[in-house]
Amino acid sequence: MTGGLLAYFGTKPHKANAHAASQTAEWRGPLHKPVGMEGIGFVCAQGTAKAGRRGELAIGFHGRIDNLDELGQSLGTRCDGELDLVASLYRQHGDEFATELLGDFAIVLLDEGRGCLLASRDWIGMRPLFWLEHQGQTAVTSEIKQALKLFEHPMIPADQPHAANSASEPNEPDATIEKGVGAVPAFGYVLATRSAPTRTWTKPHRFEPIRADAEAARQETRRLLEIATLRRIPVGARTGAMMSGGVDSTAVAGVAAHLARMRKAPPLEACYTMALPELPDCDETVAARQVAESIGVSWKPVVIRIEDYKAWPERAFDLHDGPVFPTACGAAIIIREAAEDGIETLLTGLGGDEFADQAGVEFRQCLLRGEAREALRWVRSGQPGTIRSVLGATARAVRDYFLHGIRAETKYEQTARRFWTRYTLELIEREGAKHGLSVEAPFFDRELASFLAGLAPSVKSTPEFSKSLLRDAVADLVPESVRLNPRIVVYNSVIEAALGPVPGGQSLHQFIGRSYAERWMQQVNLMLKYGNQRPSPANSPYDEDQTKKPARPSAEPTSRIDHD
């Protein structure tokens, strides 16, 4: 069981049915007693989330604060938990108090004195939080469907729903696929008052450049990765890892097993890997098994078929309130398997690509940092291409730096603010919540991400290996054959195999985003035609000339291989 929040701000709290709203997302746990303020509203917690009153404040908290003790000491006050700390920080720092917090969290606060509601999230958006304004009232909830239910508001797709489901198209970081519903921005705030329109804003995290040689960077990366992993493993939790054959997930699994051997964390009970027998070029089970054997952890390949990807959009539609990009299918099936095994915390390597990898733009990054000698090294490696390409890339870097203020670290700041980053994290959190476990991503730890993002390009990668820094940081934990394997698996091949070729002139994300959006609009039109039901493939009727839903094939039994 995980948790969630529901909050209402307005003059008619008796008409807002918190219980009915909580039941639309019952996987978030039982609803606790509302903490209300007469004439203002209420805050409710579900499952492991907390809600309570602290003087003139009603506070709801979902997640984890990593620097709770340190902040309590700096404030000169005793904080008996997250609610006390939030109250103290808010009183001292005002609306933007959450910038002081490290961790993964969602917070809702009602201030009786000011007559306002304030909502905030962590820096990257690990814990979902949405808001809806309706007839002068405001709802803030952990799920879109809960906000809609709180006001008995119909589900209406956004004007351009594909834009909220495509990684390749521009969109606002607080976009959702539902019209009128916004996401509380990552490292941002939503403030509702009676005297002014509801306001949203962000305080994006700024990565600062860091100077460190290769050895110092290696040691610090390992230290911060261990801290980030340990923060995300609750004491006594049954822990597993989602592990491909890539360096990110194997690094996390290796560190978790190492922490267990050092008696700093509970044992890592199993590693789960996608097995794709129909797509051998994308299958990484051989490398994953080698890692599991080397770290002494039980390994479980989870067989996933192309038909699973074909059926995924309809299976996931209702849970995620709309169409979902199908690459999440494999993760969702692994989450389900891990939950059936009793796993309570599932570690992933998500975030490694975002902050440890440079996506082949090391030459440009060196120029933006003013490191001419290192830039020349990448030219000699042949990465930028022809002399013409080198001159063009140099001109663009100089222009961006002097005219637009773009720094090397801007790349990572933009990644942290992307809609797709936030949406992906919300999706895996929700899949975990549905099955009663917590999905954790140590690479999205703010301290670790800040360190990796701030390092010089040539410290993080070499012409021979991307992520060479991370590979060296876990050299004692991962087999050489896996650690030094430069092979990169592109899972778009899985999607293309499942859905067929992409029409010319469109990226895969554009094609899938648009086609799913069209299906979403079709479902809503059917809902309006046949009655006010939730528009999902499970309960929307089909016209006779429409294609029926394909039957989901029976899953091939997975096998477990245990290693002593």
Side-chain angles (χ1 to χ4, degrees):
M1 178 182 68
T2 57
L5 297 173
L6 297 92
Y8 166 88
F9 175 70
T11 58
K12 303 174 182 178
H14 58 285
K15 293 187 177 181
N17 192 334
H19 178 74
S22 71
Q23 289 301 297
T24 65
E26 59 185 355
W27 61 84
R28 294 205 170 273
L31 184 71
H32 304 308
K33 184 178 179 180
V35 179
M37 291 181 166
E38 187 174 351
I40 293 182
F42 59 77
V43 177
C44 299
Q46 281 184 265
T48 57
K50 303 174 183 178
R53 183 145 186 173
R54 297 297 185 271
E56 77 286 8
L57 307 176
I59 303 169
F61 180 87
H62 174 214
R64 185 193 73 256
I65 296 177
D66 297 324
N67 58 340
L68 190 149
D69 292 336
E70 295 92 328
L71 285 175
Q73 293 174 7
S74 68
L75 292 169
T77 182
R78 179 177 177 180
C79 295
D80 293 328
E82 295 89 351
L83 301 184
D84 284 346
L85 179 63
V86 168
S88 297
L89 284 173
Y90 173 72
R91 290 171 182 141
Q92 180 162 325
H93 295 280
D95 292 344
E96 296 179 355
F97 70 92
T99 57
E100 304 292 321
L101 299 173
L102 291 176
D104 304 331
F105 56 82
I107 300 171
V108 183
L109 180 150
L110 287 175
D111 186 333
E112 189 173 32
R114 292 174 62 192
C116 70
L117 174 147
L118 180 66
S120 183
R121 296 171 78 178
D122 61 78
W123 82 285
I124 202 74
M126 288 295 299
R127 296 292 181 267
L129 205 61
F130 304 93
W131 68 284
L132 169 66
E133 200 167 44
H134 178 64
Q135 298 180 350
Q137 307 166 91
T138 304
V140 176
T141 60
S142 292
E143 297 289 355
I144 290 174
K145 56 175 64 71
Q146 293 177 312
L148 296 173
K149 185 62 178 179
L150 208 57
F151 291 149
E152 296 295 342
H153 192 282
M155 180 178 287
I156 303 173
D159 294 332
Q160 290 184 307
H162 67 272
N165 207 266
S166 171
S168 60
E169 297 192 17
N171 43 59
E172 295 299 321
D174 60 348
T176 73
I177 204 164
E178 310 293 343
K179 190 170 185 176
V181 181
V184 176
F187 230 169
Y189 302 85
V190 172
L191 177 65
T193 66
R194 293 175 180 169
S195 58
T198 297
R199 186 165 71 98
T200 67
W201 72 99
T202 61
K203 294 290 289 186
H205 184 62
R206 179 183 172 90
F207 295 122
E208 298 296 340
I210 293 172
R211 307 291 177 184
D213 61 30
E215 179 58 23
R218 183 194 67 78
Q219 294 180 15
E220 185 66 0
T221 297
R222 174 64 172 267
R223 186 184 74 86
L224 290 174
L225 181 56
E226 289 187 5
I227 291 173
T229 304
L230 190 58
R231 284 171 170 170
R232 286 155 178 78
I233 304 177
V235 176
R238 297 190 62 186
T239 306
M242 191 184 303
M243 187 177 72
S244 69
V247 67
D248 303 332
S249 59
T250 56
V252 170
V255 165
H258 170 72
L259 292 171
R261 288 194 296 271
M262 300 294 290
R263 300 187 181 277
K264 295 181 179 180
L268 184 64
E269 297 192 16
C271 292
Y272 298 83
T273 305
M274 284 195 297
L276 301 165
E278 297 165 307
L279 296 164
D281 289 343
C282 297
D283 193 276
E284 296 184 284
T285 52
V286 172
R289 179 174 181 171
Q290 290 176 0
V291 175
E293 290 176 342
S294 71
I295 63 177
V297 175
S298 172
W299 177 64
K300 183 173 183 179
V302 180
V303 175
I304 299 174
R305 301 287 184 183
I306 289 177
E307 285 301 319
D308 292 319
Y309 284 92
K310 290 181 178 179
W312 163 253
E314 299 195 10
R315 295 204 313 272
F317 194 100
D318 192 59
L319 176 65
H320 299 290
D321 294 312
V324 177
F325 196 72
T327 44
C329 172
I333 293 175
I334 287 178
I335 288 169
R336 183 189 66 201
E337 293 281 342
E340 290 176 354
D341 290 343
I343 296 298
E344 298 167 308
T345 298
L346 187 65
L347 300 170
T348 77
L350 284 171
D353 283 340
E354 282 74 6
F355 301 110
D357 193 13
Q358 298 173 100
V361 295
E362 287 87 351
F363 173 67
R364 170 183 167 82
Q365 295 291 87
C366 288
L367 292 175
L368 290 174
R369 283 180 66 110
E371 298 173 348
R373 181 178 297 178
E374 292 301 325
L376 182 60
R377 176 189 179 195
W378 288 99
V379 171
R380 289 171 176 164
S381 76
Q383 184 200 77
T386 65
I387 294 297
R388 184 176 180 179
S389 298
V390 170
L391 294 175
T394 302
R396 287 190 295 273
V398 170
R399 177 201 63 196
D400 290 344
Y401 182 82
F402 287 104
L403 295 183
H404 304 297
I406 294 177
R407 306 167 298 121
E409 296 76 29
T410 302
K411 172 184 183 295
Y412 304 104
E413 293 165 358
Q414 291 173 341
T415 295
R417 293 195 295 268
R418 282 176 62 204
F419 164 85
W420 195 250
T421 301
R422 190 211 85 215
Y423 181 81
T424 300
L425 295 175
E426 289 171 351
L427 188 146
I428 65 163
E429 191 274 348
R430 187 177 296 116
E431 285 288 340
K434 175 187 175 183
H435 295 288
L437 59 76
S438 178
V439 182
E440 300 291 347
F443 281 110
F444 280 116
D445 183 273
R446 179 150 59 106
E447 290 184 319
L448 175 59
S450 297
F451 181 75
L452 292 173
L455 288 171
S458 295
V459 172
K460 286 186 283 190
S461 300
T462 66
E464 295 76 28
F465 288 104
S466 66
K467 306 180 188 176
S468 59
L469 171 65
L470 183 58
R471 296 172 193 269
D472 291 343
V474 294
D476 59 321
L477 304 177
V478 179
E480 289 287 284
S481 59
V482 176
R483 186 177 70 88
L484 300 181
N485 181 6
R487 177 172 175 261
I488 299 174
V489 174
V490 180
Y491 286 103
N492 281 359
S493 302
V494 179
I495 312 306
E496 290 171 346
L499 301 180
V502 177
Q506 295 187 56
S507 72
L508 183 67
H509 284 76
Q510 286 175 320
F511 169 61
I512 293 179
R514 289 181 185 276
S515 62
Y516 283 10
E518 290 167 1
R519 182 60 174 273
W520 171 225
M521 294 294 291
Q522 183 184 71
Q523 295 295 338
V524 172
N525 290 333
L526 288 170
M527 175 193 73
L528 297 175
K529 180 178 179 180
Y530 291 100
N532 190 27
Q533 289 183 294
R534 282 188 56 74
S536 75
N539 62 21
S540 293
Y542 282 76
D543 292 334
E544 291 182 2
D545 59 345
Q546 286 183 289
T547 302
K548 299 293 183 179
K549 294 181 290 185
R552 184 173 186 272
S554 57
E556 189 171 292
T558 58
S559 59
R560 180 187 294 278
I561 301 175
D562 293 312
H563 303 281
D564 296 328

